[in-house]
Amino acid sequence: MSIQNHLEIAVKKAFVEIFETEIPAVEFQATRKEFDGDITIVVFAFLRFVKGNPVQIGTQIGEYLKTNVDLVTDFNVVKGFLNISINPSFFVDSFYGIYETENYGTLPPAPTEKAVMVEYSSPNTNKPLHLGHVRNNLLGFSVAEIIAASGKKVYKTQIINDRGIHICKSMLAWQKFGNGETPENTGLKGDKLVGNYYVAFDKAYKEEINNLIAQGRTEEEAKKQAPILLEAQEMLRKWEAGDEEVVNLWKTMNQWVYDGFAVSYKNLGVEFDKNYYESETYLLGKDCVQDGLEKGVFYKKEDGSVWIDLTDEGLDEKLVLRGDGTSVYITQDLGTAIQRFQEFDINALTYTVGNEQDYHFKVLFLILKKLGFSWAENMYHLSYGMVDLPTGKMKSREGTVVDADDLMEEMVNTAREISQELGKLEGYSEEKKEELYKIIGMGALKYYILKVDPKKRILFDPKESIDFNGNTGPFIQYTYARIQSILRKADFDYTAKQNVEISDKELAVIKTLQLYPETVQLAAKNHSPALIANYTYDLVKEYNSFYQSSYILGCEEEALKVFRTQLSAQVGDTIKSAFKLLGIEVPERM
């Protein structure tokens, strides 16, 4: 039984005996470092059941616990917080509860719980993935893993924006300037090849605009009348009409892109259970608009367009269907959301999309609630800030995007340079070295991005992220590898439970280990990989403090040597578990 369970039973008993009342639950917190104690009870939460001074109530409960509960050695009260000191021997028992628990901190899917869907990535098929997609994919994948670890079944999905004028721009430019180029005959990844033609279109478009302005057109006229744009618009009309030649070109070029994306996703370490394609979903949602009109949720204007008035909710009026019967983005999103809840046994859906779409998702969720879908309460927008590099912002049309593949390659190269400078890889084969460079480089990239609260903007510095000291992925990976080295050298049986007296350093490590299950649950609730990342760093700091002040394998007392080896093993397992939730590998040697 955990410390919290022991204390909760005792506190409930104390309330019956002292105040002659029952309380439903006890709220615990970790004791703040500036106060004495190992665990804190929030006394303010009891004021609904017992009237009085919180300090006096806390003192009465503290005295009861100290007198009647063996594991409590002392207490102090600070305002409405009761700080409890626990007998260190109980922490040893608590540690063995952790040590003997398989997959400590994570839970299998509960059979009674409905599943959750997490959408992320959602790229366009006219260009490669870029730095923004890297943050999106890492966040979405990690949040899905964390929710799964909290005890729910999770489906990972993306919607691929594979239709529209931007796709036709790449197709038209390839027709005009491509000279039959393919990924096979150029050696280029398919998404990069197609992206080059998106840039080529923009270059030709700008030249035509300048020519038209020189002929006396206004800039606005020139932008609308540029021949290459008119051709792209005609190509889109042909696609929508099912023109065989255009559709075949669209299928061919999209497949090039999908093949390229597959390589990027594999290198990034993310995957999906289901892909949706906008070409298959863009007509969805019209039925629910009709349904909303009949329910009085939507209204029709004179031009035939359909709207919803959200001004009473502090939002605007929103168009949901054009006068000519064609859909807008919100129409598709309404239809796609409804389809997903029909296809899968889910009751929650998380969208991983940048913060520039905050308003869109407020409107989407509110419309679904007004349409009467109860699951709309469980929809969540995992909103995140931009990622910048020290060199500045990205512009995709000009071809100055920070390419995801290039960034990943740079991270691996940086890991290679730093590892070679440190010179700790003697005896490694070249294959093993390259594998390690990838683990370190990708771990650095993922950790640097995921340790930041999703809502915050990031300035990503590749060199800083790969530092082997401080709050970085490689620093934590190095601690894991050090622990594995200790375990390989342990030439004795360290499976049996020991009866030992522990130091403050060991106590601090155990107390941090105890926080892992609740950190997983909190991270799932808050959709925040940053909580897992920073927990792992805290654990590693406490372990390294213990490691530097204590003999482990060199400890002369046999029982203590075994216990410290067990403690090291558990820290290693917890690092590996936490990093798996972040999509980060840990190396056995470093």
Side-chain angles (χ1 to χ4, degrees), residues 354-400:
N355 56 16
E356 69 277 4
Q357 294 293 327
D358 285 354
Y359 183 81
H360 174 84
F361 284 102
K362 277 182 189 172
V363 172
L364 175 66
F365 299 165
L366 189 53
I367 291 175
L368 287 164
K369 284 176 191 172
K370 286 181 178 291
L371 288 170
F373 295 106
S374 58
W375 42 255
E377 292 287 342
N378 301 326
M379 298 183 84
Y380 183 83
H381 175 206
L382 176 51
S383 173
Y384 63 89
M386 289 278 293
V387 186
D388 299 313
L389 286 170
T391 48
K393 288 180 76 173
M394 305 179 291
K395 296 177 184 174
S396 59
R397 285 187 300 277
E398 296 171 14
T400 57

Short mmCIF file of all heavy atoms in Angstrom, two decimals, residues 354-400:
data_model
loop_
_atom_site.label_atom_id
_atom_site.label_comp_id
_atom_site.label_asym_id
_atom_site.label_seq_id
_atom_site.Cartn_x
_atom_site.Cartn_y
_atom_site.Cartn_z
N GLY A 354 -1.34 24.24 -34.88
CA GLY A 354 -0.72 25.47 -34.38
C GLY A 354 -1.72 26.48 -33.84
O GLY A 354 -2.91 26.45 -34.18
N ASN A 355 -1.22 27.40 -33.02
CA ASN A 355 -2.11 28.33 -32.31
C ASN A 355 -2.78 29.37 -33.22
O ASN A 355 -3.68 30.08 -32.78
CB ASN A 355 -1.38 29.02 -31.16
CG ASN A 355 -0.12 29.75 -31.61
OD1 ASN A 355 0.08 30.01 -32.80
ND2 ASN A 355 0.75 30.08 -30.66
N GLU A 356 -2.36 29.44 -34.48
CA GLU A 356 -3.04 30.37 -35.39
C GLU A 356 -4.46 29.89 -35.70
O GLU A 356 -5.28 30.64 -36.24
CB GLU A 356 -2.24 30.54 -36.70
CG GLU A 356 -2.20 29.34 -37.62
CD GLU A 356 -1.12 28.32 -37.25
OE1 GLU A 356 -0.44 28.51 -36.22
OE2 GLU A 356 -0.97 27.34 -38.00
N GLN A 357 -4.77 28.63 -35.34
CA GLN A 357 -6.10 28.07 -35.57
C GLN A 357 -6.94 28.01 -34.29
O GLN A 357 -7.96 27.31 -34.25
CB GLN A 357 -5.98 26.67 -36.17
CG GLN A 357 -5.37 26.64 -37.55
CD GLN A 357 -6.28 27.29 -38.60
OE1 GLN A 357 -7.49 27.23 -38.50
NE2 GLN A 357 -5.67 27.94 -39.58
N ASP A 358 -6.53 28.71 -33.24
CA ASP A 358 -7.27 28.68 -31.96
C ASP A 358 -8.75 29.03 -32.16
O ASP A 358 -9.64 28.34 -31.64
CB ASP A 358 -6.65 29.66 -30.95
CG ASP A 358 -5.35 29.14 -30.35
OD1 ASP A 358 -4.99 27.98 -30.64
OD2 ASP A 358 -4.70 29.89 -29.60
N TYR A 359 -9.01 30.10 -32.90
CA TYR A 359 -10.40 30.56 -33.09
C TYR A 359 -11.21 29.51 -33.85
O TYR A 359 -12.36 29.21 -33.49
CB TYR A 359 -10.41 31.90 -33.83
CG TYR A 359 -11.79 32.48 -34.00
CD1 TYR A 359 -12.39 33.19 -32.97
CD2 TYR A 359 -12.51 32.30 -35.18
CE1 TYR A 359 -13.67 33.72 -33.10
CE2 TYR A 359 -13.79 32.81 -35.33
CZ TYR A 359 -14.36 33.53 -34.29
OH TYR A 359 -15.63 34.04 -34.42
N HIS A 360 -10.61 28.95 -34.89
CA HIS A 360 -11.30 27.94 -35.71
C HIS A 360 -11.81 26.79 -34.84
O HIS A 360 -12.96 26.34 -35.00
CB HIS A 360 -10.33 27.41 -36.78
CG HIS A 360 -10.88 26.28 -37.59
ND1 HIS A 360 -11.69 26.48 -38.70
CD2 HIS A 360 -10.75 24.93 -37.46
CE1 HIS A 360 -12.03 25.30 -39.20
NE2 HIS A 360 -11.47 24.34 -38.48
N PHE A 361 -10.97 26.31 -33.93
CA PHE A 361 -11.37 25.15 -33.12
C PHE A 361 -12.39 25.53 -32.05
O PHE A 361 -13.25 24.71 -31.71
CB PHE A 361 -10.14 24.45 -32.54
CG PHE A 361 -9.43 23.63 -33.57
CD1 PHE A 361 -8.26 24.08 -34.16
CD2 PHE A 361 -9.95 22.42 -33.99
CE1 PHE A 361 -7.62 23.34 -35.15
CE2 PHE A 361 -9.33 21.66 -34.97
CZ PHE A 361 -8.15 22.13 -35.56
N LYS A 362 -12.32 26.74 -31.53
CA LYS A 362 -13.38 27.20 -30.61
C LYS A 362 -14.73 27.13 -31.31
O LYS A 362 -15.73 26.66 -30.75
CB LYS A 362 -13.11 28.65 -30.18
CG LYS A 362 -12.13 28.81 -29.04
CD LYS A 362 -11.99 30.28 -28.68
CE LYS A 362 -10.86 30.47 -27.68
NZ LYS A 362 -10.58 31.91 -27.46
N VAL A 363 -14.77 27.63 -32.55
CA VAL A 363 -16.01 27.64 -33.33
C VAL A 363 -16.45 26.21 -33.64
O VAL A 363 -17.62 25.85 -33.47
CB VAL A 363 -15.81 28.45 -34.64
CG1 VAL A 363 -17.03 28.30 -35.55
CG2 VAL A 363 -15.57 29.92 -34.32
N LEU A 364 -15.51 25.36 -34.10
CA LEU A 364 -15.84 23.98 -34.46
C LEU A 364 -16.46 23.24 -33.28
O LEU A 364 -17.51 22.60 -33.41
CB LEU A 364 -14.57 23.26 -34.93
CG LEU A 364 -14.71 21.76 -35.23
CD1 LEU A 364 -15.64 21.53 -36.42
CD2 LEU A 364 -13.34 21.12 -35.48
N PHE A 365 -15.82 23.32 -32.12
CA PHE A 365 -16.31 22.58 -30.95
C PHE A 365 -17.68 23.09 -30.51
O PHE A 365 -18.56 22.32 -30.13
CB PHE A 365 -15.31 22.67 -29.79
CG PHE A 365 -13.94 22.10 -30.09
CD1 PHE A 365 -12.85 22.39 -29.27
CD2 PHE A 365 -13.72 21.29 -31.20
CE1 PHE A 365 -11.59 21.88 -29.53
CE2 PHE A 365 -12.46 20.77 -31.47
CZ PHE A 365 -11.39 21.07 -30.64
N LEU A 366 -17.85 24.41 -30.58
CA LEU A 366 -19.11 25.01 -30.14
C LEU A 366 -20.26 24.60 -31.07
O LEU A 366 -21.36 24.28 -30.61
CB LEU A 366 -18.97 26.54 -30.11
CG LEU A 366 -20.11 27.33 -29.49
CD1 LEU A 366 -20.45 26.82 -28.09
CD2 LEU A 366 -19.75 28.82 -29.43
N ILE A 367 -19.99 24.58 -32.39
CA ILE A 367 -21.04 24.17 -33.34
C ILE A 367 -21.45 22.72 -33.08
O ILE A 367 -22.65 22.40 -33.06
CB ILE A 367 -20.55 24.34 -34.80
CG1 ILE A 367 -20.39 25.83 -35.15
CG2 ILE A 367 -21.53 23.68 -35.77
CD1 ILE A 367 -19.81 26.09 -36.54
N LEU A 368 -20.48 21.85 -32.86
CA LEU A 368 -20.79 20.44 -32.61
C LEU A 368 -21.62 20.27 -31.33
O LEU A 368 -22.53 19.44 -31.28
CB LEU A 368 -19.49 19.61 -32.54
CG LEU A 368 -18.81 19.39 -33.90
CD1 LEU A 368 -17.37 18.93 -33.72
CD2 LEU A 368 -19.59 18.39 -34.75
N LYS A 369 -21.32 21.08 -30.31
CA LYS A 369 -22.13 21.04 -29.08
C LYS A 369 -23.56 21.47 -29.38
O LYS A 369 -24.53 20.85 -28.92
CB LYS A 369 -21.52 21.95 -28.01
CG LYS A 369 -20.28 21.38 -27.34
CD LYS A 369 -19.68 22.39 -26.37
CE LYS A 369 -18.30 21.94 -25.90
NZ LYS A 369 -17.61 22.98 -25.11
N LYS A 370 -23.70 22.55 -30.17
CA LYS A 370 -25.04 23.07 -30.49
C LYS A 370 -25.83 22.09 -31.36
O LYS A 370 -27.06 22.07 -31.33
CB LYS A 370 -24.92 24.44 -31.19
CG LYS A 370 -24.53 25.56 -30.23
CD LYS A 370 -24.44 26.89 -30.93
CE LYS A 370 -24.10 28.03 -29.96
NZ LYS A 370 -25.19 28.31 -29.02
N LEU A 371 -25.11 21.27 -32.13
CA LEU A 371 -25.78 20.26 -32.96
C LEU A 371 -26.21 19.05 -32.12
O LEU A 371 -26.86 18.14 -32.63
CB LEU A 371 -24.86 19.80 -34.09
CG LEU A 371 -24.66 20.82 -35.23
CD1 LEU A 371 -23.55 20.36 -36.17
CD2 LEU A 371 -25.95 21.05 -36.01
N GLY A 372 -25.79 19.04 -30.83
CA GLY A 372 -26.28 18.01 -29.92
C GLY A 372 -25.37 16.80 -29.75
O GLY A 372 -25.80 15.77 -29.21
N PHE A 373 -24.13 16.90 -30.18
CA PHE A 373 -23.19 15.77 -30.02
C PHE A 373 -22.55 15.84 -28.64
O PHE A 373 -21.76 16.75 -28.35
CB PHE A 373 -22.12 15.80 -31.11
CG PHE A 373 -22.66 15.58 -32.50
CD1 PHE A 373 -22.77 16.63 -33.39
CD2 PHE A 373 -23.10 14.32 -32.89
CE1 PHE A 373 -23.29 16.44 -34.66
CE2 PHE A 373 -23.62 14.11 -34.17
CZ PHE A 373 -23.72 15.18 -35.05
N SER A 374 -22.87 14.88 -27.78
CA SER A 374 -22.38 14.91 -26.40
C SER A 374 -20.86 14.80 -26.34
O SER A 374 -20.22 15.37 -25.45
CB SER A 374 -23.03 13.79 -25.58
OG SER A 374 -22.74 12.53 -26.17
N TRP A 375 -20.28 14.06 -27.30
CA TRP A 375 -18.82 13.89 -27.29
C TRP A 375 -18.06 15.17 -27.58
O TRP A 375 -16.85 15.24 -27.39
CB TRP A 375 -18.38 12.78 -28.25
CG TRP A 375 -19.06 12.74 -29.60
CD1 TRP A 375 -20.01 11.86 -29.99
CD2 TRP A 375 -18.83 13.59 -30.73
NE1 TRP A 375 -20.39 12.09 -31.29
CE2 TRP A 375 -19.68 13.14 -31.77
CE3 TRP A 375 -17.99 14.68 -30.97
CZ2 TRP A 375 -19.72 13.77 -33.03
CZ3 TRP A 375 -18.03 15.29 -32.22
CH2 TRP A 375 -18.88 14.84 -33.22
N ALA A 376 -18.76 16.19 -28.06
CA ALA A 376 -18.07 17.46 -28.35
C ALA A 376 -17.43 18.07 -27.10
O ALA A 376 -16.47 18.83 -27.19
CB ALA A 376 -19.05 18.45 -28.97
N GLU A 377 -17.95 17.69 -25.92
CA GLU A 377 -17.36 18.15 -24.65
C GLU A 377 -15.93 17.64 -24.50
O GLU A 377 -15.14 18.22 -23.76
CB GLU A 377 -18.20 17.65 -23.47
CG GLU A 377 -19.59 18.25 -23.37
CD GLU A 377 -19.56 19.70 -22.89
OE1 GLU A 377 -18.54 20.12 -22.31
OE2 GLU A 377 -20.57 20.40 -23.11
N ASN A 378 -15.61 16.52 -25.16
CA ASN A 378 -14.31 15.88 -24.99
C ASN A 378 -13.37 16.15 -26.17
O ASN A 378 -12.41 15.40 -26.37
CB ASN A 378 -14.48 14.37 -24.82
CG ASN A 378 -15.34 14.04 -23.61
OD1 ASN A 378 -15.29 14.74 -22.61
ND2 ASN A 378 -16.14 13.00 -23.73
N MET A 379 -13.64 17.18 -26.93
CA MET A 379 -12.74 17.54 -28.03
C MET A 379 -11.74 18.56 -27.51
O MET A 379 -12.08 19.45 -26.72
CB MET A 379 -13.53 18.09 -29.21
CG MET A 379 -14.49 17.07 -29.77
SD MET A 379 -15.37 17.66 -31.22
CE MET A 379 -14.21 17.32 -32.51
N TYR A 380 -10.49 18.42 -27.96
CA TYR A 380 -9.43 19.26 -27.40
C TYR A 380 -8.51 19.74 -28.53
O TYR A 380 -8.13 18.95 -29.39
CB TYR A 380 -8.62 18.46 -26.38
CG TYR A 380 -7.54 19.25 -25.68
CD1 TYR A 380 -7.85 20.06 -24.58
CD2 TYR A 380 -6.22 19.21 -26.11
CE1 TYR A 380 -6.86 20.79 -23.94
CE2 TYR A 380 -5.23 19.94 -25.48
CZ TYR A 380 -5.56 20.74 -24.39
OH TYR A 380 -4.58 21.48 -23.76
N HIS A 381 -8.19 21.01 -28.50
CA HIS A 381 -7.22 21.56 -29.45
C HIS A 381 -5.87 21.65 -28.76
O HIS A 381 -5.69 22.47 -27.87
CB HIS A 381 -7.68 22.95 -29.93
CG HIS A 381 -6.67 23.63 -30.82
ND1 HIS A 381 -6.60 25.01 -30.94
CD2 HIS A 381 -5.69 23.13 -31.62
CE1 HIS A 381 -5.62 25.31 -31.78
NE2 HIS A 381 -5.05 24.20 -32.20
N LEU A 382 -4.94 20.77 -29.15
CA LEU A 382 -3.57 20.83 -28.63
C LEU A 382 -2.85 21.92 -29.43
O LEU A 382 -2.26 21.70 -30.47
CB LEU A 382 -2.88 19.47 -28.78
CG LEU A 382 -1.40 19.35 -28.39
CD1 LEU A 382 -1.15 19.92 -27.00
CD2 LEU A 382 -0.94 17.91 -28.47
N SER A 383 -2.98 23.13 -28.91
CA SER A 383 -2.48 24.33 -29.59
C SER A 383 -1.01 24.53 -29.22
O SER A 383 -0.62 24.38 -28.07
CB SER A 383 -3.30 25.53 -29.11
OG SER A 383 -2.78 26.73 -29.60
N TYR A 384 -0.20 24.86 -30.20
CA TYR A 384 1.24 25.04 -29.91
C TYR A 384 1.80 26.24 -30.66
O TYR A 384 1.23 26.70 -31.67
CB TYR A 384 2.03 23.77 -30.29
CG TYR A 384 1.99 23.42 -31.76
CD1 TYR A 384 2.94 23.93 -32.64
CD2 TYR A 384 0.99 22.60 -32.26
CE1 TYR A 384 2.88 23.62 -33.99
CE2 TYR A 384 0.94 22.28 -33.60
CZ TYR A 384 1.89 22.80 -34.47
OH TYR A 384 1.84 22.50 -35.80
N GLY A 385 2.89 26.77 -30.13
CA GLY A 385 3.52 27.95 -30.70
C GLY A 385 4.49 27.61 -31.83
O GLY A 385 4.85 26.46 -32.04
N MET A 386 4.91 28.64 -32.51
CA MET A 386 5.84 28.49 -33.63
C MET A 386 7.21 28.01 -33.14
O MET A 386 7.56 28.19 -31.98
CB MET A 386 6.04 29.84 -34.32
CG MET A 386 4.84 30.32 -35.10
SD MET A 386 4.75 29.55 -36.73
CE MET A 386 6.19 30.25 -37.52
N VAL A 387 7.97 27.44 -34.06
CA VAL A 387 9.37 27.10 -33.80
C VAL A 387 10.22 27.98 -34.70
O VAL A 387 10.03 28.01 -35.92
CB VAL A 387 9.67 25.63 -34.12
CG1 VAL A 387 11.10 25.28 -33.70
CG2 VAL A 387 8.70 24.71 -33.41
N ASP A 388 11.14 28.72 -34.10
CA ASP A 388 12.06 29.55 -34.86
C ASP A 388 13.47 29.02 -34.71
O ASP A 388 13.80 28.39 -33.70
CB ASP A 388 12.03 31.00 -34.34
CG ASP A 388 10.66 31.63 -34.47
OD1 ASP A 388 10.07 31.51 -35.56
OD2 ASP A 388 10.18 32.24 -33.49
N LEU A 389 14.28 29.29 -35.70
CA LEU A 389 15.71 29.02 -35.61
C LEU A 389 16.43 30.34 -35.41
O LEU A 389 15.88 31.41 -35.71
CB LEU A 389 16.20 28.36 -36.91
CG LEU A 389 15.80 26.90 -37.09
CD1 LEU A 389 16.14 26.45 -38.49
CD2 LEU A 389 16.52 26.01 -36.09
N PRO A 390 17.67 30.31 -34.90
CA PRO A 390 18.42 31.57 -34.74
C PRO A 390 18.51 32.38 -36.04
O PRO A 390 18.66 33.58 -36.01
CB PRO A 390 19.80 31.09 -34.29
CG PRO A 390 19.55 29.78 -33.61
CD PRO A 390 18.42 29.16 -34.37
N THR A 391 18.36 31.70 -37.20
CA THR A 391 18.47 32.40 -38.49
C THR A 391 17.19 33.11 -38.89
O THR A 391 17.17 33.84 -39.87
CB THR A 391 18.83 31.39 -39.60
OG1 THR A 391 17.97 30.26 -39.48
CG2 THR A 391 20.27 30.94 -39.47
N GLY A 392 16.08 32.86 -38.19
CA GLY A 392 14.85 33.59 -38.49
C GLY A 392 13.69 32.72 -38.92
O GLY A 392 13.74 31.50 -38.86
N LYS A 393 12.61 33.37 -39.40
CA LYS A 393 11.37 32.68 -39.74
C LYS A 393 11.46 31.97 -41.08
O LYS A 393 12.34 32.23 -41.88
CB LYS A 393 10.21 33.69 -39.77
CG LYS A 393 9.80 34.19 -38.39
CD LYS A 393 8.68 35.17 -38.46
CE LYS A 393 7.36 34.46 -38.72
NZ LYS A 393 6.22 35.39 -38.65
N MET A 394 10.46 31.10 -41.34
CA MET A 394 10.45 30.30 -42.55
C MET A 394 9.40 30.82 -43.54
O MET A 394 8.36 31.31 -43.13
CB MET A 394 10.10 28.85 -42.20
CG MET A 394 10.98 28.23 -41.16
SD MET A 394 10.47 26.54 -40.81
CE MET A 394 8.91 26.79 -39.98
N LYS A 395 9.70 30.71 -44.82
CA LYS A 395 8.76 31.08 -45.87
C LYS A 395 8.75 29.98 -46.93
O LYS A 395 9.70 29.85 -47.69
CB LYS A 395 9.15 32.42 -46.51
CG LYS A 395 9.08 33.60 -45.54
CD LYS A 395 9.54 34.89 -46.20
CE LYS A 395 9.57 36.03 -45.21
NZ LYS A 395 10.15 37.26 -45.79
N SER A 396 7.64 29.21 -47.00
CA SER A 396 7.66 28.02 -47.84
C SER A 396 7.65 28.33 -49.33
O SER A 396 8.32 27.67 -50.10
CB SER A 396 6.47 27.12 -47.49
OG SER A 396 5.26 27.80 -47.68
N ARG A 397 6.90 29.36 -49.75
CA ARG A 397 6.81 29.64 -51.19
C ARG A 397 8.16 30.05 -51.77
O ARG A 397 8.43 29.86 -52.94
CB ARG A 397 5.77 30.73 -51.46
CG ARG A 397 4.35 30.25 -51.33
CD ARG A 397 3.36 31.31 -51.77
NE ARG A 397 3.50 32.52 -50.96
CZ ARG A 397 2.94 32.69 -49.77
NH1 ARG A 397 2.22 31.71 -49.25
NH2 ARG A 397 3.08 33.81 -49.11
N GLU A 398 9.00 30.65 -50.92
CA GLU A 398 10.30 31.11 -51.42
C GLU A 398 11.38 30.04 -51.28
O GLU A 398 12.54 30.27 -51.59
CB GLU A 398 10.72 32.38 -50.66
CG GLU A 398 9.78 33.55 -50.92
CD GLU A 398 10.05 34.74 -50.03
OE1 GLU A 398 11.13 34.78 -49.39
OE2 GLU A 398 9.19 35.63 -49.97
N GLY A 399 10.98 28.87 -50.80
CA GLY A 399 11.96 27.78 -50.70
C GLY A 399 12.94 27.96 -49.57
O GLY A 399 14.03 27.38 -49.58
N THR A 400 12.58 28.77 -48.56
CA THR A 400 13.50 28.99 -47.43
C THR A 400 13.02 28.26 -46.17
O THR A 400 13.39 28.61 -45.07
CB THR A 400 13.64 30.50 -47.12
OG1 THR A 400 12.33 31.03 -46.85
CG2 THR A 400 14.25 31.24 -48.28
#
